[in-house]
Amino acid sequence: MPSPEFVDAVLAIVARIPEGRVMTYGDVGIAIGSEAPRAVGRVMALYGHAAPWWRVVPASGLPPQGHARLALPHYLAEGTPLRRADDEDYRIALSSARLPYTHEIYAEVAL
């Protein structure tokens, strides 16, 4: 199990991701000074239900596993850039939706 401090750090970063933007699990890890994207994914799976979970995605640009249909309305409402075939077959356009490493979320981490 991730430590309570790790959980709090992950959820604090996720809460700060702006609407219409995303971070990968690895990006969230980097923002908290960790190289543990799987641990970030575990935190999101166990504790992320009250956070904007749809803003944390795999590096593939796919929506969170098993949640494509639930995430799509959030992406559309927030104007998140998508590459889309239909409601079940889409990816986030990471080239434009991914939060850049120059964003203030990363300010406390030496990149």
Side-chain angles (χ1 to χ4, degrees):
M1 289 297 277
S3 72
E5 296 80 17
F6 188 85
V7 171
D8 290 346
V10 167
L11 295 177
I13 291 295
V14 173
R16 293 171 56 199
I17 302 171
E19 287 188 10
R21 302 308 290 266
V22 298
M23 292 174 75
T24 67
Y25 296 106
D27 292 342
V28 174
I30 289 168
I32 63 170
S34 170
E35 294 184 25
R38 289 185 180 179
V40 171
R42 183 141 174 86
V43 168
M44 294 306 297
L46 295 174
Y47 307 102
H49 61 278
W53 54 266
W54 58 92
R55 296 182 191 152
V56 184
V57 301
S60 65
L62 291 169
Q65 186 176 2
H67 298 291
R69 189 171 285 219
L70 288 173
L72 185 59
H74 293 288
Y75 297 137
L76 295 176
E78 293 183 0
T80 306
L82 302 175
R83 288 178 173 51
R84 190 168 163 190
D86 59 49
D87 289 355
E88 293 290 320
D89 185 21
Y90 68 92
R91 288 180 187 256
I92 291 86
L94 288 181
S95 60
S96 51
R98 192 175 192 175
L99 202 63
Y101 291 123
T102 56
H103 190 275
E104 58 88 18
I105 279 179
Y106 297 103
E108 296 177 19
V109 178
L111 297 174

